[in-house]
Amino acid sequence: MADAAAATSAAAPLPVVVIGGYLGAGKTTLVNQLLRTTTERLVVLVNDFGSSVIDASLIEAREGDVLQLAGGCVCCQIGDDLSDTLHRLVVSAPSGTRPDRVVIEASGVAQPASVAATVAFSAGLDVECVVVVADGERIERLLADHYVGDLVAAQLRQADLVLVNRDCGADLSGVTSAPVIPDDGAVVDLVSPGVAHTPVAASELAPASAMFASTVVSGAGDIDSVLAQVRAIPRLVRAKGFVHSDDGVRLVQIAGERTTVSRWGGGSLPPAEVLCISLR
Amino acid sequence: MQVYRAQLIRTLDAARPTATHVAVHDGVIVAVGDAGDMPADAPVDDTFAEHVLVPGFVEGHAHSQVGALWNSCYCGRFSRVGPDGTEWDDLPTIDESMARMRAWADANPDVDVVFGWGFDPIYFGRSCVRADLDTVSTTRPVVLAHASLHIVSVNTVALERLGMIDSPPATDAVPLGDDGLPTGELRGPEAAYPSIARLGLMRKVFPTDDEAFIAVARLAVLAGVTTLTDLGIPYEAKQLDRYYDLTSRPDWPVRLVPMYLSDGRAATELVATAASVGATSTDLLRLGGVKIVVDGSIQGFTARLRAGRYHNGKPNGLWYQTPEHVRDVLALALTEGRHVHLHTNGDQASEMVLSTLEELVAAHPGSRVNVTLQHAQLLDDGLMARAAALGVKVNLFVNHIFYWGEAHAAMTVGEERAAQMNGCATALRHGLTLAIHSDEPVTPVNPLFSMWCATNRCTHTGRVLGAEECISAADALRAVTIGPATTLGLEHEVGSIEVGKRADFAVLSAAPLTVDPAELRSIEVWGTVSGGRPFPAHG
Ligand SMILES: [Zn+2]
């Protein structure tokens, strides 16, 4: 842990969750669910900025196109240029306003991979997870639609995790290789399992759901061997935690096929544990 | 009261096609004819005695951001006139582009990042790479934006600043050369935009200061344009205040038509905002139109095609708005007759809009369809017929034939579609209201050049592409005056020289309906008359 001090001083990249899916899929519902349950300071970027997007009960103040929300969260409109918005958010944000996490609700026609690529090319940001939401009752009809069928398929294909609400048993395995998870109300824990910037024991963050099994893997030792142990868990959909390797503490995130490892820049030492969530 | 005498006045009034005198009072035309038709006591101004007057040109599709681009170095393949009237020469080779950037960098030693724009690799058989741009500077970042503004080429210093030399990201957006290092190209908005933001360029590329808008007005005067759209802006207080201020200045020369860009807001909010802002319009500032970008561009392979794929095998393009949103906006706009302009480059995008309109009109007979398809480059005979039946207007992007006609034939849509695209003759055969445009800054605002494209359909190699779709100079003149005026709902005020209309003229060195159509683009523009006041292009 020779460079623990250096790692602490350099801010870790800000984790970004991208929420995609076609118009009416339930993206906004998921965002509101996140805001209601989070203990983090989230910045939520939305494409649609009508007055009805964010639950009124969560809004504390409105200044132009910025909503101040309960718990120190903020919601703003993406505007006409996502990269410009992200740049302002991270690089030119006043000190002390740095959020714990950024959640981007992409527009209904956005290609989630394109949003994720914009994030990846921006300074100080890391893509943590691309979630694509689908309305189970409409998804088969949308996939067959003359105009937008190829777009809807591309969105599902580009997901790390697919969340299906109002499930009607549509089989999406031919469209996407991402885990397809029916929404039983607890999926919000998959999107954002716990706190990235305060060291809470991973075991406290297990989702309260009969649908998921959670396992805690020890985060002591070599990063590759910890990741191998995590990856060996059958039907793994999400993992998150800290590895204490020889060259410092690492924050590890897995969402579907995506693995993100970043240097831990938090103040105190988090426990060496990785919470792994799999489908039962 | 003022009478202008000209060598010839081409009125576009069917009842009186030509004249020599026009009388103006309070910015409005009060008499058109010969000397004997003028009010007896009105003084005669002979400034234009050797010139030809035509209705002030109406550019129905342009963007104000170009004003900002002129603060940096123009690197396009073909000559272009800047807002100060300077003509920037052709750049037939990449080496000549680099020489221009070097000279610009030397002349601007205090600029942190050397920025050029307008580069298009299709004319050179290769792109501009790091080694080219390293000849411009090895100490400052150098960024060359391609004509699409979706790809940039950068030098080694820029790549170092971006941390991409040592560890290039593994993505097609950052292609690697034979040496395993990035070539310097950053492909696609996902890579290009965040990268130039990290180099501190964003505000430089699209600043919103008064100077940028004044530059746009100068470009309009240089081209003979008296009514200019700004086709798609956020209706934000700051931006609107700038428009109110600029257009109320006594020396402001052009009528601006800035439309509200659908930016993801719900249809009800969008249309309500357009209506309330529209109510603040003045003579020189016409607000209230709605713009929806439905798909991408053909040369960028992002337009939506009915073929489902591009000629070279690339997959179909992108929707930029959902069909549901388009329907919601159109449904509201139809009930109040609000003008909606839909950017539909690909034929599938145009078809989707037309199908939506057909359903809406069938469900609500008596709807007022004030809809214009913008670009609409791939409308074929059948789609034009459907547009005509609905009363939909079209603003075709004929400048494409010159700049990208060869690329369309070889790569995007193939020879057969390319010969038909931007089919002005087909549009007129169906009786459609026809406009033609530049999409400045994509191509330069210059209605005489657009007329030349529509009458000659010459590609940049000199080949005629789709001779069947060439139209007459008379029809082309209508397509840059009364045609676009009609798409904007201003046909009762501008677009022809008739008593009661605004005294807006383009002042030309030669008669556009008399010269050889091949010479249309060489006609010189003295300047404009806007609201009865002369605005010389030079001086
Ligand atoms: Zn445009």
Short mmCIF file of all heavy atoms in Angstrom, two decimals, chain B residues 61 63 291 375 439, ligand 1:
data_model
loop_
_atom_site.label_atom_id
_atom_site.label_comp_id
_atom_site.label_asym_id
_atom_site.label_seq_id
_atom_site.Cartn_x
_atom_site.Cartn_y
_atom_site.Cartn_z
N HIS B 61 -32.53 27.65 -45.02
CA HIS B 61 -31.92 26.68 -44.10
C HIS B 61 -30.46 27.04 -43.89
O HIS B 61 -29.60 26.77 -44.73
CB HIS B 61 -32.04 25.25 -44.64
CG HIS B 61 -31.65 24.20 -43.64
ND1 HIS B 61 -32.30 22.99 -43.54
CD2 HIS B 61 -30.70 24.17 -42.68
CE1 HIS B 61 -31.76 22.26 -42.58
NE2 HIS B 61 -30.77 22.97 -42.05
N HIS B 63 -27.48 28.09 -40.38
CA HIS B 63 -27.24 28.05 -38.94
C HIS B 63 -26.26 29.15 -38.55
O HIS B 63 -25.26 29.36 -39.23
CB HIS B 63 -26.67 26.70 -38.52
CG HIS B 63 -27.58 25.56 -38.84
ND1 HIS B 63 -28.58 25.15 -37.99
CD2 HIS B 63 -27.66 24.75 -39.93
CE1 HIS B 63 -29.23 24.13 -38.54
NE2 HIS B 63 -28.69 23.88 -39.72
N LYS B 291 -38.45 23.38 -35.19
CA LYS B 291 -37.55 22.54 -36.00
C LYS B 291 -37.36 21.20 -35.30
O LYS B 291 -37.10 21.15 -34.10
CB LYS B 291 -36.19 23.24 -36.14
CG LYS B 291 -35.03 22.34 -36.59
CD LYS B 291 -34.96 22.20 -38.09
CE LYS B 291 -33.78 21.33 -38.54
NZ LYS B 291 -32.47 21.96 -38.35
N HIS B 375 -34.00 19.43 -46.29
CA HIS B 375 -33.03 18.54 -46.96
C HIS B 375 -33.81 17.58 -47.89
O HIS B 375 -33.70 17.70 -49.09
CB HIS B 375 -32.13 17.74 -46.01
CG HIS B 375 -31.36 18.58 -45.04
ND1 HIS B 375 -30.87 19.81 -45.36
CD2 HIS B 375 -30.96 18.34 -43.76
CE1 HIS B 375 -30.22 20.31 -44.32
NE2 HIS B 375 -30.27 19.44 -43.33
N ASP B 439 -27.58 25.12 -46.03
CA ASP B 439 -27.28 24.58 -44.70
C ASP B 439 -25.98 25.15 -44.15
O ASP B 439 -25.26 24.47 -43.44
CB ASP B 439 -27.22 23.04 -44.73
CG ASP B 439 -27.39 22.42 -43.35
OD1 ASP B 439 -27.84 23.12 -42.43
OD2 ASP B 439 -27.07 21.22 -43.20
ZN ZN C 1 -29.24 22.19 -40.88
#
